[in-house]
Amino acid sequence: MPANELTCPDIWELDNGDIAVIGRDLTASYTNTLPDGVNVGSDERLVVIPGSMLQSAKGDMPHG
């Protein structure tokens, strides 16, 4: 990646209503410490985003 290409976490709503998240893939770091009943499927990844990002996105999320 070029040094001038910045990346950052992001969250947004897709055209179909699903939510997309860009964050750090920490699947390997957290798989063995997940709460009981929580599993990461073979086609899934555990993505971590800053809590402040979710807090700031709350106002843009539909309530329901």
Side-chain angles (χ1 to χ4, degrees):
M1 175 182 326
N4 63 349
E5 186 177 328
L6 299 177
T7 62
C8 62
D10 204 353
I11 184 170
W12 71 98
E13 185 175 1
L14 301 173
D15 291 341
N16 67 359
D18 287 350
I19 303 300
V21 177
I22 297 173
R24 293 178 290 141
D25 180 357
L26 294 178
T27 306
S29 298
Y30 285 97
T31 297
N32 294 325
T33 61
L34 295 173
D36 290 342
V38 175
N39 299 296
V40 179
S42 62
D43 63 339
E44 299 174 329
R45 298 293 172 264
L46 187 150
V47 177
V48 175
I49 60 172
S52 59
M53 186 176 89
L54 187 58
Q55 289 293 329
S56 65
K58 276 186 176 182
D60 297 325
M61 293 181 187
H63 298 70

